[in-house]
């Protein structure tokens, strides 16, 4: 019973968080994403000449990597990381 209530609380909290959380995105990215990209220079990947061309494609690639890694993230976590990458490297207007 208690765990059901906690789950309900977690769901309502994440539903309330409509704005992406850039700090959470930075944390998640540092924890799960840089290990591969660091083999080269992960910043170069995000700023290379033929990098992803739009905000929409960033969202898609983040989802693809999260699925390939089998991380099981919530959509909010993917959008936090996509927003962090955009704010830090891509800087596309939405
Ligand atoms: C297993 C290694 C690996 C891990 C871990 C990894 N990636 Fe990637 N990622 C790659 C490779 C390789 C590419 C380049 C793919 C290509 O050239 O098409 C890439 C490309 C990308 C790009 C596109 C860069 C661009 O502009 O061209 C994004 C965004 C990205 N990854 C996000 C993530 C995120 C977010 C995570 C963490 C959930 C993550 N990656 C974890 C291997 C990895």
């Amino acid at each position: 019973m208690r765990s059901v209530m906690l789950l309900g609380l977690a769901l309502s909290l994440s539903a309330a968080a409509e704005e992406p959380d850039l700090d959470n995105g930075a944390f998640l990215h540092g924890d799960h994403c840089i290990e591969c990209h660091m083999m080269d220079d992960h910043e170069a990947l995000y700023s290379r000449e033929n990098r992803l061309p739009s905000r929409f494609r960033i969202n898609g690639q983040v989802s693809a990597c999260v699925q390939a890694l089998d991380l099981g993230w919530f959509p909010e976590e993917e959008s936090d990381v996509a927003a962090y990458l955009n704010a830090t490297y891509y800087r596309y207007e939405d």
Side-chain angles (χ1 to χ4, degrees):
M1 187 60 188
R2 184 150 184 270
S3 63
V4 172
M5 286 171 61
L6 286 176
L7 180 64
L9 179 64
L11 289 175
S12 59
L13 282 176
S14 60
E18 284 169 18
E19 286 295 308
D21 181 340
L22 296 183
D23 289 339
N24 189 45
F27 170 77
L28 288 168
H29 182 264
D31 225 25
H32 296 283
C33 308
I34 57 175
E35 61 193 40
C36 274
H37 299 180
M38 287 295 270
M39 282 163 62
D40 204 315
D41 173 357
H42 73 286
E43 299 203 2
L45 188 67
Y46 299 136
S47 54
R48 63 185 175 168
E49 202 173 319
N50 62 342
R51 68 185 190 159
L52 296 172
S54 69
R55 188 72 174 76
F56 178 74
R57 294 286 300 279
I58 298 172
N59 292 346
Q61 179 66 47
V62 167
S63 279
C65 274
V66 165
Q67 278 174 36
L69 297 167
D70 205 12
L71 294 175
W73 283 1
F74 289 110
E76 290 80 7
E77 292 174 307
E78 291 184 8
S79 65
D80 286 352
V81 171
Y84 160 73
L85 290 177
N86 189 52
T88 310
Y89 303 110
Y90 294 92
R91 300 186 174 281
Y92 294 126
E93 308 283 332
D94 263 343

